[in-house]
Amino acid sequence: MSAECSSYLNADKVLVSGFSCPRAGGDARAVFCCGFQDVKYCCDDPHSFFPYEHSYMWWLSVGALVGLSIAAVVLFAFIITVCVLCYLFISTKPRSKLDPGLSLQTA
């Protein structure tokens, strides 16, 4: 079983000639033509989207989790601060009404 990858223009607008999969000297299991319009390669999974290992995705996920955790802590601290300030504002209000100093009388 083999597949034909047609010629294409890469990202630098250079024509790359077509080739057959599997390539000579390449992985014998890579019998499918995978890729996009500007990059094509032989692969062993017809549903593969990238010719690279996916280990870098793990580090992106860890970085995203750390960033989201920091953002959650900051948001939680902000909410707690607002609640404490509201409580202090309400609890320190005078209980009785202040005398405005003017007595209103009807004419």
Side-chain angles (χ1 to χ4, degrees), residues 68-86:
L68 287 174
S69 299
I70 291 171
V73 168
V74 169
L75 180 64
F76 184 69
F78 176 75
I79 290 172
I80 295 297
T81 303
V82 168
C83 290
V84 168
L85 289 175
C86 286

Side-chain angles (χ1 to χ4, degrees), residues 3 18-19 31-32 34 55 58 61-62 68 72-73 76 84 93-94 100 102:
F19 53 89
V31 295
F32 299 102
C34 298
S55 61
W58 171 252
S61 297
V62 169
L68 287 174
V73 168
F76 184 69
V84 168
K93 266 176 97 171
L102 300 173

Side-chain angles (χ1 to χ4, degrees), residues 11 14 20-21 23 43-44 47-48 61-62 64 71 74 87 94 97-98 107:
V14 175
S20 301
C21 295
R23 288 185 139 179
C43 63
D44 60 350
H47 303 292
S48 175
S61 297
V62 169
V74 169
Y87 173 76
K97 291 188 175 186
L98 295 175

Side-chain angles (χ1 to χ4, degrees), residues 1-70:
M1 178 178 199
S2 66
E4 293 289 326
C5 285
S6 60
S7 59
Y8 61 95
L9 290 175
N10 65 11
D12 299 324
K13 304 296 183 207
V14 175
L15 181 66
V16 177
S17 59
F19 53 89
S20 301
C21 295
R23 288 185 139 179
D27 188 2
R29 295 175 296 158
V31 295
F32 299 102
C33 181
C34 298
F36 303 100
Q37 289 181 340
D38 60 347
V39 60
K40 294 182 182 180
Y41 55 94
C42 296
C43 63
D44 60 350
D45 180 10
H47 303 292
S48 175
F49 293 107
F50 298 102
Y52 312 110
E53 292 295 322
H54 299 293
S55 61
Y56 70 93
M57 292 299 286
W58 171 252
W59 292 110
L60 288 177
S61 297
V62 169
L65 287 176
V66 169
L68 287 174
S69 299
I70 291 171

